[in-house]
Amino acid sequence: MAAHDSTAAASSTNAGLTYHRFRIDSGLLRQALISLRMSLATAELPADPAALRAFALACQGELKAAQTAVQLKALEIEKLRFQIAKLRRMQFGRSSERITRQIEQLELQLEELETGEAADAARAEASQPEAPAPARAKPRRKPLPDHLPRQEVLHQPAGDSACICPACGGGMGKLGEDVTEVLDYVPGHFQVIRHVRPKYACQACDAITQAPAPSMPTPRGRATPAMLAHLLVSKYCDHLPLYRQCEIYARQGLELDRSTLCDWVGQAAWLLDPIVAAIRAQVFAADKIHGDDTTVPVLEPGLGRTRTGRLWAYVRDDRPFCGEAPPAAAYFYSPDRTAVRPAAHLANFTGFLQADAYAGFEKLYRPARTKPGPIIEVACWAHTRRGFFDEWEHRKSATACQTAPLVEAFFAWAATTVAKLSAKSSLAGAFNYAINRREALSRFITDGRLEVDNNIAENAMRCIALGRKNYLFAGSDAGGDRAASIYTIVQTAKLNGVNPEVYLRDILAKIADGHPINRVLDLMPWKALAST
């Protein structure tokens, strides 16, 4: 990695710090061109010459804007590479700890940009598979290390065609073979799988036959489903950014460029989008869900500082009341905490929502909401308790500990007690928090499906809190969206008692083998694997 960074720095310096200004992001540009061609193909061209000219000018403007956006992104990538290389040269000075943190921040931002580029390229290729893939400016692909163990898989042509010509029935002789080496991960070590495909030529009619190439999750990729699953779980479940994974693999003699790992993660995340959508649909089909959100720092491009984004979790878990539906968790990312975010997430949900007293949720509890139906508030006693507990911790107030064992008695006592307190005191605020939510706090008494607290959702947020300590921040809004998608998969697998890495390995292999999109429900964590 250091050699690559030094090369990037030298190249940037020799170019007068232009950072290869005119090298464009081919994946994004290709997607923009495809979108433009699709709009031209479906548009009704005007017959009037003046209107036709205006339409052509508008198309030219749209293309120019797309090219400019792509060039700016490519410039940002090269600028980050240059900055990282420069900081690495300064790393051994007096401020090495601060510089190391700067390098980590830039590495993560670059990782998010390159992973997003790979996902965009995969999406563009899927939308127009017949178009030739453009050459991408990537490091030269190195052979897989010789020291890794090899497992050979022989792919013979179907039937007896290795011996009998399918065209004329004559005998065939071996002409040669093609060998494809792919990187596989077995828990604890890496290995190389050698796919050997012999070629056979007919001795009578010169017809050539060969087994088809083995299916892989990513086009032209060298990563098996097991390798991709290990990358995703390491990044999103064990919270190891890709640049750190590169360093770990290098210690095992496996040199993989970060941009290569970004390609694999971006393409794998795109492949998993239908599964994410199906899990989210499962969550919002419930009669009762739990909701919560938490902060996630997001890097501001070019400014070297972070802003506050949000990760939202909605959890369906009917197991406490012996419900038969499998549990599932749906995560979403947003750049802010405005009320439009939960409104969009819950646009198709109707039923009970157990959450904290966030004002954005409270706006959803309108009796007049008829499409698709009302959302009924269920409040959390754990949140209610916090105000009283904090008051006891800070002031040792005896009043804060005298809650009655029965809910009705508690509210009667609360109404009497709060009248004796200063309206501006924090203790009065704790009482009013409870009193104002009396109905929502009492719903669990009459409906056995409901919980006394919102711990189900808060437990689903623990992985985010752990991740914040390791990866520091999200590199971009797109990176936040991608993280929310993979969190949806790995946390739902955990809720169903399924090892996320085993699950991802299984479904990525099925997707590579051509699993039909109309049977995506067969790939859900509660169906794909009976046990781990």
Side-chain angles (χ1 to χ4, degrees), residues 41-279:
T42 56
E44 223 177 284
L45 297 179
D48 179 66
L52 184 61
R53 176 179 173 80
F55 178 77
L57 290 174
C59 289
Q60 288 179 345
E62 184 180 343
L63 178 60
K64 185 173 180 61
Q67 288 174 326
T68 300
V70 165
Q71 288 173 349
L72 289 174
K73 184 174 181 181
L75 175 62
E76 182 70 16
I77 288 175
E78 291 302 324
K79 180 180 177 181
L80 286 171
R81 287 176 176 163
F82 171 79
Q83 290 175 333
I84 290 170
K86 181 178 178 181
L87 287 170
R88 287 195 184 282
R89 292 195 298 270
M90 301 165 55
Q91 192 171 7
F92 303 103
R94 295 172 59 186
S95 303
S96 59
E97 185 174 337
R98 179 176 58 84
I99 291 174
T100 298
R101 185 174 177 85
Q102 285 182 275
I103 291 173
E104 289 177 342
Q105 292 176 339
L106 295 175
E107 288 275 19
L108 185 55
Q109 186 180 0
L110 180 56
E111 176 180 311
E112 296 288 7
L113 287 171
E114 291 183 330
T115 304
E117 178 185 356
D120 291 333
R123 190 174 295 109
E125 185 165 348
S127 62
Q128 197 176 35
E130 69 278 2
R136 301 177 67 196
K138 292 290 179 184
R140 183 176 63 85
R141 177 179 286 188
K142 301 175 184 177
L144 295 172
D146 292 334
H147 72 272
L148 293 180
R150 256 69 175 172
Q151 176 185 338
E152 189 166 295
V153 179
L154 184 64
H155 300 269
Q156 291 283 14
D160 296 327
S161 54
C163 303
I164 301 174
C165 177
C168 69
M172 302 191 74
K174 189 172 180 179
L175 185 63
E177 64 185 22
D178 289 332
V179 178
T180 303
E181 291 196 337
V182 294
L183 183 63
D184 189 37
Y185 179 76
V186 180
H189 70 276
F190 296 96
Q191 67 176 9
V192 175
I193 297 181
R194 302 180 77 247
H195 292 284
V196 181
R197 297 184 297 127
K199 292 182 182 178
Y200 296 92
C202 178
Q203 298 172 354
C205 68
D206 293 333
I208 297 176
T209 185
Q210 185 182 33
S215 57
M216 297 294 291
T218 59
R220 296 175 299 280
R222 289 202 302 172
T224 65
M227 183 67 214
L228 293 177
H230 181 64
L231 276 180
L232 291 172
V233 169
S234 295
K235 179 174 171 62
Y236 294 105
C237 196
D238 300 329
H239 317 297
L240 283 174
L242 295 183
Y243 74 89
R244 291 184 186 170
Q245 293 189 51
C246 285
E247 296 168 354
I248 293 171
Y249 301 158
R251 291 199 299 268
Q252 302 178 43
L254 179 59
E255 297 285 346
L256 288 174
D257 193 86
R258 182 198 53 244
S259 62
T260 299
L261 301 189
C262 289
D263 273 354
W264 293 350
V265 168
Q267 293 177 39
W270 172 77
L271 283 174
L272 296 169
D273 277 348
I275 295 174
V276 174
I279 291 175

Side-chain angles (χ1 to χ4, degrees), residues 53 135 154 171 226 229 294 310 368 376 383 471:
R53 176 179 173 80
L154 184 64
T294 191
R310 310 294 298 194
I376 303 169
H383 281 84
Y471 56 65

Side-chain angles (χ1 to χ4, degrees), residues 399 402 410-422 427 431 435:
T399 305
Q402 293 176 3
F410 165 75
F411 282 113
W413 170 76
T416 303
T417 305
V418 74
K420 304 174 184 177
L421 302 174
S422 168
L427 185 55
F431 273 107
I435 293 169

